[in-house]
Amino acid sequence: MAPDKKDKKDKKKEKPLHADHRARMQDRVRREGLPSLAAHEVLEYLLYFAIPRQDTNPIAHRLLQRFGSYCNVLDASEEELCKVEGVGPASARLIASLRKFEQYYQLQKRKGRTRPLRTEADRIEYVSALFLTEQEERCYLVAMNDQCLPLREVLVSQGAPNHVGINSRKLAREAVASGCTCAYLAHNHPSGIAVPSRSDLLATAQVEQLLGTLGVHLLDHIIVAPDSAASMMRQYRSAGGDRRPAVSSTELLLASEPILLLDGEEDPPHPDPPQP
């Protein structure tokens, strides 16, 4: 009986010590904010909400060891997170949801926007939140009226980490349904840079030609990368003149065919100017 009583006393001693540590951490966050904490402490603090009665410090360290950085932990999937010792479904769901909550906040913040999207900066700001948590390529069409006010954004397609295919029939149908007179495309390079590939340029020219037949002017094509974003139109016009690749009638894809955007492994393009 004596050992059992001793174990119970030890547990009683351990519990207040752990509770005091949590209280000190919570008080520090209230006084100094999250920036005052190291990366492992932020994860430790976050896990308090999913693991109420356990020391979460070792789990935080294991997460950083597994994924390499705080940002990588937050970008990991629930399945990947659950492979770390001490991380259960509830903890994994909490961590994986943080970026999605941030994305939802950004999208809600811009609701009811009345400012026109006339500049590159405006267009980038408007679409950036759409790609905030994406690990695969997605392509959106942002439909606008004559004043460049956004009417709606349409997810045209989603693909793999380094390419996405656009179905031009769907693109045309959505453009007509929106009632837009002008629009711009936006797609992401999840693990690359905001530089268009040759395929990106060719696809843009094809979309521009297709939308033109519907009376819709394609104003821009924005590329969003993890650390940057840029206008494709500006990049291929910056050298002077229009450096988009020429698109022959045989290259213009039929309305039932996909337009491929192949990125990731390609070198930055150096398209030739259209032949006279």
Side-chain angles (χ1 to χ4, degrees), residues 22-246:
R22 287 198 174 203
R24 287 194 299 271
M25 179 78 81
Q26 290 163 344
D27 184 57
R28 181 178 169 189
V29 171
R30 279 192 296 269
R31 288 184 289 104
E32 304 175 34
L34 286 177
S36 68
L37 306 182
H40 73 277
E41 292 175 317
V42 173
L43 291 172
E44 177 185 355
Y45 180 78
L46 173 63
L47 289 168
Y48 289 171
F49 299 99
I51 307 174
R53 294 181 182 85
Q54 184 180 339
D55 183 5
T56 58
N57 182 278
I59 304 173
H61 280 287
R62 284 195 288 270
L63 283 166
L64 288 174
Q65 185 177 9
R66 172 67 180 269
F67 297 105
S69 72
Y70 173 83
C71 293
N72 288 344
V73 173
L74 264 59
D75 286 335
S77 67
E78 290 185 39
E79 293 74 19
E80 293 172 322
L81 291 165
C82 281
K83 294 176 183 177
V84 176
E85 181 186 349
V87 177
S91 301
R93 193 175 306 114
L94 173 65
I95 295 170
S97 296
L98 286 185
R99 295 272 285 163
K100 294 176 183 177
F101 278 108
E102 180 187 356
Q103 180 184 42
Y104 187 79
Y105 171 81
Q106 295 294 342
L107 291 172
Q108 289 296 305
K109 191 176 179 181
R110 73 168 201 201
K111 256 189 171 181
R113 175 190 177 123
T114 57
R115 184 155 50 100
L117 307 177
R118 291 199 176 96
T119 69
E120 175 184 347
D122 288 336
R123 293 166 191 156
I124 289 173
E125 180 187 0
Y126 188 81
V127 298
S128 290
L130 295 171
F131 304 107
L132 198 57
T133 63
E134 299 306 326
Q135 301 300 315
E136 297 181 341
E137 286 204 18
R138 288 187 165 210
C139 183
Y140 284 88
L141 177 76
V142 180
M144 301 181 291
N145 61 17
D146 286 334
Q147 288 75 45
C148 291
L149 291 170
L151 301 173
R152 57 184 292 203
E153 65 269 357
V154 179
L155 176 60
V156 177
S157 58
Q158 55 190 41
N162 66 342
H163 71 273
V164 65
I166 304 175
N167 186 291
S168 52
R169 175 179 290 174
K170 178 180 180 180
L171 181 69
R173 183 172 63 246
E174 296 288 358
V176 171
S178 72
C180 67
T181 55
C182 61
Y184 71 97
L185 290 173
H187 85 283
N188 59 324
H189 290 181
S191 57
I193 57 176
V195 175
S197 67
R198 168 78 186 189
S199 298
D200 289 342
L201 295 176
L202 181 60
T204 303
Q206 291 170 327
V207 169
E208 184 176 37
Q209 201 166 335
L210 174 64
L211 292 180
T213 64
L214 303 173
V216 177
H217 179 43
L218 185 69
L219 293 178
D220 210 339
H221 188 160
I222 299 295
I223 301 177
V224 179
D227 300 315
S228 61
S231 162
M232 185 188 302
M233 299 292 199
R234 177 179 56 77
Q235 291 186 57
Y236 64 57
R237 286 172 179 161
S238 60
D242 191 339
R243 294 179 56 80
R244 282 170 292 183

